[in-house]
């Protein structure tokens, strides 16, 4: 049995749940005995409901499920996995542990999958490491809509803004208040993990060229229809790249490093910190935007699920 364990909420977003959802579905189609355990509330779980996925209300309940399922391969997508968890997993019979996040808290997997190719160095011993953008999970629905070529724009008219399922940076409020130009038409996504109170406040901010969309089931059509995508540098950034849509990122917290590194690799337009992001957005160079978009499209090719399946096949 393969068990894939993830968590999502308003504070940490839903990207971990979304990519694990895709992995559960993909492995199921390949004949693997696989289940997912998602720690989230019922509202979020409704977005990922699947007969192969169980909802867990808390961590202790997840551990009981892992043991009950007689898990042999455990795939972890928790941000706070620690040494106690890996010890517990081995005590209850887990044979192999695969991890999708950092090891800062002492978590000890057998395999580490690093889904980027940024500049930081990895110095782990006795650990099999798979690294590169080719392992960053892209939803199958995105891949199915991938065009033959990246979008090449003559000018920017429609700007799509989405800061994830929960927008922990509170950048949605900032942009809603700050937008004052008549150069672009803006669509701001209000994520499903944002509180009702936040959404109502943001919607109360009215601008003639600003529209809101609340909790879309996916961003595919919205991305394909826009000329530029503004985000934090997480999962939706990769989705835009895979679809050949010009992406730009605002630096925030731990994702700020991702935006900076993407910028250095000419994969997105780095808008900098929030205090300069709006000004930089208005002054983007179209030729540079198109070059960056093409480069990112070539790198994020939509084959990540097949690449991760090869890792699991090797473990088995």
């Amino acid at each position: 049995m393969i068990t894939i364990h993830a968590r999502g909420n308003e504070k940490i977003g839903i990207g971990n749940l979304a990519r694990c959802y895709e992995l559960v579905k993909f492995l199921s189609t390949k004949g693997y005995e696989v289940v997912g355990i998602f720690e989230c509330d019922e509202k979020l779980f409704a977005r990922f409901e699947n007969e192969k996925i169980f909802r867990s209300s808390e961590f202790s309940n997840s551990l009981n499920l892992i043991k009950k399922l007689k898990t042999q391969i455990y795939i972890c997508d928790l941000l706070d996995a620690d040494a106690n968890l890996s010890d517990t997993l081995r005590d209850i019979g887990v044979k192999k542990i695969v991890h999708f996040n950092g090891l800062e808290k002492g978590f000890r997997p057998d395999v580490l999958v690093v889904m980027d190719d940024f500049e930081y160095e990895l110095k782990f011993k006795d650990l099999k490491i798979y690294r590169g953008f080719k392992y960053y999970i892209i939803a199958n629905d995105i891949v199915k809509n991938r065009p033959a070529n990246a979008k090449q724009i003559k000018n920017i008219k429609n700007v799509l803004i989405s800061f994830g399922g929960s927008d922990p940076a509170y950048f949605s409020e900032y942009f809603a208040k700050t937008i004052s130009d008549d150069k672009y038409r803006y669509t701001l996504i209000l994520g499903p993990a944002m509180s009702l109170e936040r959404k109502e406040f943001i919607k109360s901010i009215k601008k003639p060229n600003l529209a809101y969309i609340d909790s879309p089931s996916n961003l595919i059509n919205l991305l394909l229809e826009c000329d530029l995508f503004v985000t934090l540098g997480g999962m939706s950034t990769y989705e835009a790249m895979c679809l050949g849509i010009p992406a730009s990122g605002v630096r925030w917290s731990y994702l700020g490093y991702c935006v900076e590194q993407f910028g250095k690799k000419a994969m997105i337009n780095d808008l900098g910190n929030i205090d300069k992001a709006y000004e930089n957005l208005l002054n983007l160079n179209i030729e540079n935007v198109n070059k960056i978009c093409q480069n990112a499209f070539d790198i994020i090719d939509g084959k990540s699920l097949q690449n991760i399946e090869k890792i699991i096949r090797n473990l088995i």
Side-chain angles (χ1 to χ4, degrees):
M1 173 65 73
I2 301 171
T3 299
I4 302 173
H5 186 190
R7 181 184 298 126
N9 53 49
E10 185 173 356
K11 290 184 179 180
I12 65 174
I14 64 173
N16 301 61
L17 298 176
R19 67 184 181 187
C20 287
Y21 174 68
E22 294 298 326
L23 186 55
V24 170
K25 290 193 300 179
F26 182 80
L27 293 179
S28 296
T29 65
K30 297 297 181 180
Y32 291 90
E33 190 178 13
V34 57
V35 298
I37 297 176
F38 286 8
E39 290 180 26
C40 61
D41 61 30
E42 293 182 359
K43 180 182 177 182
L44 281 182
F45 188 70
R47 296 177 65 88
F48 305 109
E49 197 164 353
N50 182 287
E51 62 179 7
K52 298 286 186 179
I53 300 175
F54 300 94
R55 188 183 81 85
S56 173
S57 58
E58 58 185 11
F59 182 67
S60 60
N61 183 44
S62 300
L63 286 178
N64 289 332
L65 277 171
I66 293 166
K67 183 177 181 179
K68 184 178 180 180
L69 291 164
K70 298 181 179 180
T71 301
Q72 297 296 295
I73 296 177
Y74 171 83
I75 299 176
C76 181
D77 203 354
L78 303 180
L79 297 175
D80 59 353
D82 57 18
N84 182 61
L85 173 57
S86 47
D87 289 343
T88 300
L89 291 168
R90 299 191 195 282
D91 287 342
I92 63 177
V94 173
K95 302 300 182 186
K96 295 291 183 180
I97 300 174
V98 181
H99 191 42
F100 287 164
N101 279 293
L103 304 179
E104 295 81 5
K105 296 182 180 296
F107 190 61
R108 294 189 293 271
D110 301 289
V111 173
L112 178 66
V113 181
V114 181
M115 299 180 180
D116 65 54
D117 196 19
F118 297 146
E119 293 178 355
Y120 59 90
E121 186 178 355
L122 298 173
K123 297 182 178 180
F124 303 116
K125 296 180 179 179
D126 303 321
L127 187 62
K128 181 67 176 177
I129 299 174
Y130 296 88
R131 184 176 188 179
F133 293 117
K134 65 181 181 179
Y135 297 114
Y136 195 95
I137 295 175
I138 303 295
N140 190 49
D141 286 346
I142 293 287
V143 177
K144 288 191 296 186
N145 283 275
R146 178 178 166 88
N149 300 293
K151 192 170 190 175
Q152 297 293 290
I153 57 175
K154 295 182 179 179
N155 54 66
I156 299 171
K157 293 181 180 179
N158 299 307
V159 176
L160 180 67
I161 304 174
S162 175
F163 296 116
S166 62
D167 182 12
Y170 282 73
F171 285 171
S172 298
E173 287 89 337
Y174 179 87
F175 267 87
K177 292 177 182 177
T178 304
I179 288 171
S180 58
D181 66 281
D182 56 5
K183 186 175 182 180
Y184 304 148
R185 292 192 293 267
Y186 299 90
T187 300
L188 177 58
I189 304 298
L190 306 179
M194 293 173 67
S195 68
L196 180 61
E197 291 76 15
R198 279 188 70 189
K199 291 180 179 181
E200 290 303 316
F201 171 75
I202 296 169
K203 288 178 182 178
S204 71
I205 303 171
K206 308 293 185 182
K207 303 287 175 72
N209 58 337
L210 173 60
Y212 302 108
I213 296 181
D214 191 348
S215 305
S217 57
N218 61 65
L219 295 182
I220 297 172
N221 290 331
L222 294 169
L223 283 169
L224 291 172
E225 292 168 359
C226 78
D227 300 312
L228 184 75
F229 181 52
V230 179
T231 187
L232 289 179
M235 173 175 282
S236 54
T237 312
Y238 287 88
E239 293 178 347
M241 292 175 182
C242 188
L243 290 172
I245 303 301
S248 55
V250 184
R251 298 185 190 181
W252 168 79
S253 187
Y254 64 95
L255 285 174
Y257 175 79
C258 297
V259 170
E260 180 183 9
Q261 290 295 308
F262 275 137
K264 288 182 177 180
K265 290 184 174 294
M267 295 175 71
I268 68 170
N269 305 278
D270 180 2
L271 299 178
N273 295 325
I274 188 63
D275 58 336
K276 295 292 184 180
Y278 178 62
E279 178 184 352
N280 291 335
L281 175 64
L282 295 178
N283 292 301
L284 287 173
N285 176 275
I286 298 298
E287 182 180 357
N288 194 43
V289 167
N290 285 330
K291 287 181 179 178
I292 288 172
C293 180
Q294 183 63 56
N295 183 51
F297 181 75
D298 293 339
I299 293 171
I300 308 302
D301 61 7
K303 298 178 181 178
S304 55
L305 288 168
Q306 293 94 321
N307 295 332
I308 291 177
E309 190 266 336
K310 291 178 183 176
I311 295 173
I312 295 169
R313 192 190 319 148
N314 289 337
L315 279 178
I316 294 174

